[in-house]
Amino acid sequence: MLRSLFFLLPGLLFFHPVFSDAPRPGIPPQKIAYPLLLEDPGKQLTIADVAARSGDFKRSADAVAVPGATSSAWWVKFDVENPVDETLYLSIASAGLQEIDLYHETIPGQFSNVRYRSGAAGDGRIIQSNMPLLPMHAPPAKRTTYYLRVTGNAVMRLRMEVAAIEYHLETQHEDDFIHGIFYGILLALMIYNLFAFITLRDVSYLLYVLYILFSGLSTLVLNNYIAVFFPSARWLNEMTTVLPGGMLFGVLFTNTFLRVKEHAPLVYKLRVPLMVFLIAIPLMALFVSWPVMYIVLEAAIYITFAYWLAAGISVYVKGFRPAVYFLAGFGLLIAFGVVYNLRDNGLLPDNAFTRHSAQFGTALEAIILSWALTSKLNFYKRAKETLQLQAMEQSSAFSKEMIRMQEHERKRIASELHDSVGQQLILIKNRLLLLRNKTENDAQSISGDIAGNVADTIQEIRNISYSLRPYQMDMMGLTQSIQSLAEETGDGANVLMDAGIDNIDHLFSPENEINIYRIVQELLNNMVKHSGATRCTLRVHRAVWLIKIVVTDDGVGFGNANENGFGLLSIRERVQIMGGQFIIHPGEGKGAALSVNIPISYHENT
């Protein structure tokens, strides 16, 4: 769907007659080119004052009169010739026109007036539309001088044409066709992504909808549709309201979609001053004149453009591939936006392409950003599948290693039973057989040896049993078992062991107490096997909601050691089972530190 819209839109626009300047049937229009202009900064001049100052008018430097961003009233003087006895109409294509007064002298000293006010009922003779058509009752075959007074709240570009009503209606029909395509695309994309937000609960979709909504409102203001459809909403018919709103939601969408905080933290720090600036613009407009606010708006536009580009490029460089769609969408918007702005400032000609460039850029951007959202969803879906595959592979590897270790442990126990306990029992058996034919003295000596063999056998069995489950756990509790483990490990490895252990008895279920004991055991074994340390510190600290286990040593550190070995993997698995956190702080030749945080659940034993 999105791909079809992307390729259909240029064809509908560029091959439509409104872009071709093809001649239309009927009486040719009279374009008011290079008209005479007079500025009225105080908006106080009357038609009589203006008629008396006819010599003060100055010729426009451009074919289309461009008063620009102004808070003044402007008077335009021009002549019209009616080739036939037919009512002609004047169209004024300019954004944000608030007041229009058209005068012509009926008898010396008296002027007829056609009056238009944005958002008001106005003169019944005017044909109301987004570009109102003012009737001109010019006598046939005679040149008539007209005076036009206009005020506005946007950049004023007075593209004026005089023609029969049929010509204007045909022209407006073609413009309405373009606008219908444009607003239809925006509406379809907003509905589609709103449903996506409701389904996926991803705030990026909601911010996209709000951004496109305000972008569409901005073009409605530029095309004077707000004044037609929402005449009482004067606050909405202001570029200083809708344009900053669109840019604000564009910044929020950018931060959420690109995850700028994570991928481009330096750019992310600029968001607060930029957003404060955008929010302040509508408030500033209440106290600052429109010409100054136009400069502020231009500054806000280009600063926001720079933020979008900086965020998109920074995130794309970090490897976030959906950023390429973001850059394409916003890049097209920026390019077409610059074209529209240059036209506003008289640096590009006024033609069908430049007049519709803002809409064209917005429509393409909206389509591409929908692609971007879809691409982002697929990107994270693939990433999730990759993580799941890696987790399955890791789980499989862990299971294989666990089975191997179990078999190794069984082999070790079997070997110990055979080599130690078994040999001791054979000795006991043989010595018992010797007792049959021995004298009393010899029997006493042999029985003493037998008692020693039995004692050794009992100790061997205890050692094997202890390796399977520490007997202290049942007799002395978890705290003392860890203390005993630390002392035995230090003595056995000839390492100076400094152990500080808070009382953590009865905080966990028996199963999790075993997990904690094995975690400490593996942490200490890892230190003994790999660090080459002479000093080790063990701390088990009890807080309100967790216990913190920290093992530090003065060994060689991790360096290039494998941090995903089976021992550390076993620790991670046990910590994950208890909902904890395992952190490795490697050091190169300066020792290492390993810490484990395990949350305490007070309902665990209930």
Side-chain angles (χ1 to χ4, degrees):
M1 171 188 172
L2 295 175
R3 187 172 300 175
S4 301
L5 286 174
F6 183 80
F7 290 107
L8 178 63
L9 180 62
L12 289 173
L13 293 180
F14 283 113
F15 293 103
H16 196 272
V18 75
F19 282 94
S20 65
D21 289 332
R24 296 178 176 87
I27 300 173
Q30 300 179 49
K31 295 185 179 181
I32 311 301
Y34 301 100
L36 296 169
L37 301 176
L38 176 65
E39 185 176 7
D40 177 11
K43 302 181 180 179
Q44 296 177 347
L45 295 179
T46 65
I47 180 59
D49 298 330
V50 171
R53 296 175 54 180
S54 182
D56 294 338
F57 280 84
K58 295 182 179 180
R59 181 73 62 182
S60 169
D62 301 303
V64 175
V66 188
T70 175
S71 57
S72 302
W74 284 82
W75 291 83
V76 183
K77 181 181 178 182
F78 58 94
D79 295 332
V80 171
E81 183 175 355
N82 191 354
V84 296
D85 188 9
E86 181 177 2
T87 300
L88 301 180
Y89 286 83
L90 171 67
S91 71
I92 310 168
S94 181
L97 293 180
Q98 299 293 299
E99 299 177 356
I100 305 175
D101 290 280
L102 181 64
Y103 300 90
H104 79 279
E105 195 170 22
T106 54
I107 59 176
Q110 293 187 10
F111 292 86
S112 173
N113 179 24
V114 178
R115 181 183 179 89
Y116 167 83
R117 294 294 181 267
S118 176
D123 193 323
R125 295 171 294 173
I126 296 176
I127 297 178
Q128 296 283 353
S129 68
N130 65 314
M131 300 296 178
L133 302 177
L134 284 69
M136 306 178 71
H137 301 289
K142 179 182 178 182
R143 296 187 68 84
T144 304
T145 300
Y146 284 85
Y147 293 91
L148 178 71
R149 179 186 180 274
V150 292
T151 66
N153 65 347
V155 178
M156 194 179 295
R157 296 182 60 87
L158 303 176
R159 183 169 57 89
M160 300 179 292
E161 286 186 319
V162 176
I165 187 62
E166 294 82 5
Y167 174 88
H168 288 304
L169 292 179
E170 183 180 353
T171 302
Q172 287 193 354
H173 171 73
E174 293 171 351
D175 282 342
D176 288 342
F177 176 77
I178 300 298
H179 296 156
I181 294 174
F182 170 71
Y183 294 114
I185 289 173
L186 294 193
L187 183 61
L189 292 175
M190 284 193 294
I191 293 174
Y192 171 80
N193 285 280
L194 186 59
F195 276 112
F197 165 71
I198 294 172
T199 303
L200 301 174
R201 299 296 181 183
D202 185 345
V203 72
S204 298
Y205 289 92
L206 179 60
L207 292 174
Y208 167 86
V209 171
L210 293 173
Y211 168 64
I212 297 302
L213 173 63
F214 274 85
S215 298
L217 288 174
S218 298
T219 61
L220 285 172
V221 172
L222 290 176
N223 292 311
N224 297 317
Y225 282 116
I226 294 291
V228 175
F229 295 110
F230 307 100
S232 59
R234 293 184 178 274
W235 61 273
L236 193 59
N237 194 28
E238 299 284 346
M239 290 302 293
T240 52
T241 300
V242 293
L243 190 57
M247 292 187 289
L248 177 64
F249 284 112
V251 170
L252 292 173
F253 170 78
T254 299
N255 293 337
T256 305
F257 174 77
L258 295 179
R259 298 169 68 178
V260 178
K261 182 179 181 180
E262 175 184 343
H263 296 121
L266 293 179
V267 178
Y268 187 71
K269 291 179 180 179
L270 302 175
R271 80 197 187 286
V272 173
L274 176 56
M275 292 169 64
V276 170
F277 178 38
L278 294 174
I279 293 172
I281 290 177
L283 301 176
M284 293 171 57
L286 299 175
F287 309 100
V288 181
S289 64
W290 164 242
V292 176
M293 288 308 304
Y294 176 70
I295 297 173
V296 172
L297 273 179
E298 275 198 324
I301 289 170
Y302 283 100
I303 292 172
T304 307
F305 283 174
Y307 183 87
W308 287 336
L309 289 176
I313 293 172
S314 300
V315 174
Y316 178 74
V317 169
K318 293 293 181 63
F320 185 64
R321 294 307 171 215
V324 71
Y325 293 105
F326 175 90
L327 286 172
F330 277 97
L332 284 171
L333 175 70
I334 291 170
F336 284 102
V338 169
V339 168
Y340 192 87
N341 182 249
L342 292 177
R343 166 190 169 272
D344 272 349
N345 291 296
L347 300 176
L348 284 179
D350 185 288
N351 54 43
F353 173 73
T354 57
R355 286 195 299 273
H356 292 87
S357 58
Q359 290 173 278
F360 192 52
T362 301
L364 288 177
E365 180 208 28
I367 296 171
I368 294 174
L369 288 184
S370 280
W371 262 332
L373 286 168
T374 303
S375 175
K376 175 189 174 184
L377 183 63
N378 292 333
F379 177 84
Y380 284 118
K381 182 179 178 181
R382 288 193 296 269
K384 182 179 179 181
E385 291 173 349
T386 301
L387 288 175
Q388 288 176 339
L389 180 60
Q390 291 175 349
M392 290 177 62
E393 292 175 350
Q394 188 178 50
S395 177
S396 176
F398 180 78
S399 298
K400 291 178 181 178
E401 185 65 16
M402 182 67 76
I403 292 171
R404 189 187 69 80
M405 291 298 293
Q406 287 176 346
E407 292 300 323
H408 176 76
E409 187 68 10
R410 288 171 180 172
K411 182 178 180 181
R412 182 188 67 81
I413 294 172
S415 177
E416 289 184 1
L417 289 174
H418 178 272
D419 296 339
S420 59
V421 177
Q423 292 301 321
Q424 292 290 343
L425 292 175
I426 291 173
L427 286 174
I428 293 171
K429 173 186 174 183
N430 292 334
R431 285 175 177 172
L432 287 172
L433 292 174
L434 288 174
L435 286 175
R436 294 179 179 177
N437 301 316
K438 296 296 180 181
T439 64
E440 182 178 348
N441 292 333
D442 291 334
Q444 289 179 354
S445 175
I446 293 173
S447 64
D449 292 339
I450 291 173
N453 293 142
V454 171
D456 292 340
T457 303
I458 292 172
Q459 185 60 44
E460 288 292 338
I461 293 174
R462 283 178 176 174
N463 291 338
I464 295 172
S465 299
Y466 178 72
S467 68
L468 297 176
R469 175 180 171 85
Y471 66 90
Q472 297 102 320
M473 292 285 293
D474 299 321
M475 298 174 60
M476 297 181 293
L478 177 61
T479 304
Q480 189 58 43
S481 296
I482 294 176
Q483 181 71 43
S484 177
L485 173 65
E487 293 172 357
E488 292 176 2
T489 302
D491 293 341
N494 196 24
V495 173
L496 182 60
M497 182 68 66
D498 178 13
I501 304 170
D502 292 347
N503 187 355
I504 58 173
D505 291 338
H506 310 301
L507 295 179
F508 301 91
S509 65
E511 293 80 4
N512 283 341
E513 285 189 343
I514 288 292
N515 281 331
I516 293 172
Y517 181 88
R518 294 304 186 195
I519 287 171
V520 176
Q521 185 180 47
E522 189 58 47
L523 289 172
L524 295 177
N525 287 340
N526 185 80
M527 178 272 302
V528 170
K529 293 179 182 178
H530 305 295
S531 71
T534 60
R535 184 182 182 88
C536 178
T537 300
L538 168 65
R539 294 287 183 268
V540 179
H541 173 66
R542 172 182 174 179
V544 177
W545 296 107
L546 60 81
I547 66 168
K548 186 178 184 67
I549 305 169
V550 180
V551 174
T552 59
D553 62 59
D554 62 352
V556 297
F558 273 83
N560 296 323
N562 181 14
E563 297 185 8
N564 293 312
F566 180 75
L568 297 183
L569 185 59
S570 174
I571 294 174
R572 287 193 178 93
E573 290 288 335
R574 293 182 186 272
V575 170
Q576 185 177 3
I577 289 172
M578 294 184 287
Q581 183 183 29
F582 178 40
I583 305 172
I584 299 175
H585 311 277
E588 191 68 40
K590 299 180 181 179
L594 299 94
S595 62
V596 175
N597 298 324
I598 301 174
I600 299 173
S601 174
Y602 289 98
H603 302 285
E604 189 173 345
N605 292 310
T606 61

